[in-house]
Amino acid sequence: MSIAAIVITFNRLELLKKTIDGLRKQTHKIDELIVVNNGSNDGTSEWLKENDDIFVVTQDNVGSSGGQYTAFNTAYERGHEWIWAMDDDVVPRPDCLSHLVANIEPNKVVAPLRYSLDGTPFINDTIEFNLTNPFANIWKRLLKKEDLVNEIIPATGLTFEGPMFHRSLIEKIGLPEKKFFIFADDSEYMIRAKKAGFSSYIITKANLDRMLDAPDLNKEFSWKNYYIIRNIIAIDVLHGCPAVRVLRPFAYLISWLRKANSKSDRQTVIKAFKDGYFYKSEN
C-alpha cells in the first residue's frame, strides 16, 4: 500500500511549514509528500528546495482548484494507491492517518474530523446535498454536534482538508474541476464520487486542526464572489435534476442581486450567473 500526501500552497510559507511538520510526524508512514506550489513569491520556492523529502510541482497561480487538479494527477501518475489531500492551512494530528487507514476501502472516501482554532469541532461538512428540489437550498443537511457521538459519520460533502481516497476514484470520475479556481470544487468532486458508487465518511477519531478562521464569504463583495456564485450554479447545472438545473440558478441570481451594493457588484453577479448557467465540465 502506497500513500501520497498532497498539499496545495500559495504564499503561506509559515503555515505550510506547520502542515509539513504535521505530516512528517504521522505515526503511520507516508510514502511521499507532494507539494503543488501555485506560484508563491514569499520564499516558499526557496524553502521547498531545501527539503529533499518533498516532491515539488511549481506552476502559475491557478487557484486552489487548479492546484488540487495538479496534485491529484501528480499522485496518480506517480503510481500511488492512496491519496491524502489537504491545503496549507491545516495540521493533521500525529495519529490522524492511522485512524483513517484503519477505515479505508477502495470504494470509500474517509476524512478526519476538523477542529477550529478554539479547539472545538469545526461543524462545516455537508451530510447530504439537495439536487432534486429547486425551491430549497443545495445544502440539505449539515453536520451537527449531535452527530459527533458516532465514530463514523456518513457525509457526502467532504472538503479537501484531509480526505483520503483510492486511485480508482480518479480512474472512474477524473480530476477536480480546475476551472472552478476557488470554492466548491470539493463539493462538486464528492457529488461525482457518490454518483459513481463511492461512499464517504468522517472518522471522528482522526483529527486535523485548522490554523485559520473560516472566512465569511457573505460579509462583503470581493473578487471571490464571482467564483462563489458561478460555481454553485455550475453544480446545479452539472448535477441537479432538470427542475434544479433550470430553476434554482435564478433563485441564486435574485438572492445575490439583493446583496449587491453597487453597479459593479451587480455586473459581477450577472456575469457569474451566465457563466455558471452555461458551464461546461472538462471531465
Side-chain angles (χ1 to χ4, degrees):
M1 180 174 69
S2 175
I3 301 173
I6 58 175
V7 183
I8 319 306
T9 191
F10 174 67
N11 281 351
R12 285 178 175 172
L13 177 55
E14 296 309 312
L15 297 184
L16 175 64
K17 289 178 181 178
K18 295 178 181 179
T19 300
I20 296 299
D21 185 57
L23 291 171
R24 286 171 172 158
K25 290 179 178 177
Q26 291 301 298
T27 56
H28 191 287
K29 180 178 180 293
I30 295 172
D31 294 280
E32 186 170 40
L33 295 176
I34 298 173
V35 172
V36 174
N37 179 14
N38 268 351
S40 300
N41 56 14
D42 64 344
T44 293
S45 298
E46 291 76 10
W47 182 79
L48 287 171
K49 290 178 181 177
E50 299 171 359
N51 293 267
D52 56 12
D53 64 334
I54 303 175
F55 183 83
V56 180
V57 180
T58 300
Q59 62 183 18
D60 292 337
N61 183 17
V62 288
S64 58
S65 304
Q68 295 291 354
Y69 177 96
T70 299
F72 278 45
N73 189 55
T74 300
Y76 179 82
E77 292 294 332
R78 290 178 67 78
H80 294 288
E81 183 181 6
W82 294 93
I83 300 169
W84 192 21
M86 63 194 68
D87 285 327
D88 59 0
D89 58 357
V90 295
V91 179
R93 296 180 186 176
D95 61 354
C96 183
L97 182 57
S98 293
H99 287 297
L100 293 179
V101 169
N103 290 276
I104 56 174
E105 295 177 20
N107 63 343
K108 290 169 57 176
V109 182
V110 294
L113 176 65
R114 298 172 293 158
Y115 278 77
S116 301
L117 284 172
D118 62 5
T120 60
F122 185 57
I123 310 298
N124 183 253
D125 295 287
T126 301
I127 300 298
E128 185 178 2
F129 288 106
N130 162 36
L131 297 169
T132 58
N133 181 359
F135 303 108
N137 197 291
I138 188 173
W139 290 282
K140 186 173 183 178
R141 190 164 92 79
L142 298 177
L143 181 68
K144 297 180 180 179
K145 290 183 179 179
E146 304 89 86
D147 296 316
L148 302 183
V149 299
N150 302 303
E151 291 187 3
I152 301 176
I153 306 169
T156 301
L158 302 176
T159 67
F160 287 156
E161 292 184 352
M164 184 175 181
F165 57 90
H166 192 260
R167 63 183 286 111
S168 59
L169 180 60
I170 292 176
E171 292 169 354
K172 289 188 177 181
I173 71 172
L175 300 164
E177 282 288 322
K178 62 181 177 181
K179 293 192 299 181
F180 269 29
F181 195 78
I182 59 166
F183 187 74
D185 52 333
D186 40 21
S187 295
E188 193 278 332
Y189 199 70
M190 294 310 302
I191 290 171
R192 269 193 278 154
K194 182 177 181 180
K195 290 168 71 173
F198 287 75
S199 53
S200 51
Y201 304 89
I202 296 169
I203 310 301
T204 57
K205 286 186 176 180
N207 300 145
L208 177 151
D209 294 303
R210 305 182 83 251
M211 292 185 281
L212 297 175
D213 287 322
D216 185 352
L217 299 175
N218 296 309
K219 187 175 181 180
E220 60 183 20
F221 262 76
S222 71
W223 62 270
K224 295 180 180 180
N225 285 87
Y226 167 80
Y227 297 102
I228 294 168
I229 300 165
R230 185 201 64 174
N231 294 352
I232 200 66
I233 291 174
I235 289 177
D236 278 352
V237 170
L238 294 173
H239 302 293
C241 72
V244 166
R245 295 175 191 174
V246 173
L247 297 177
R248 192 159 62 189
F250 287 94
Y252 290 126
L253 172 64
I254 294 170
S255 174
W256 279 100
L257 283 175
R258 287 175 176 171
K259 297 176 183 178
N261 297 313
S262 67
K263 180 180 178 181
S264 176
D265 292 346
R266 290 188 288 274
Q267 290 173 336
T268 295
V269 172
I270 292 171
K271 177 173 172 50
F273 167 79
K274 290 179 178 178
D275 291 349
Y277 203 74
F278 297 101
Y279 188 89
K280 299 294 182 182
S281 173
E282 293 183 357
N283 284 287

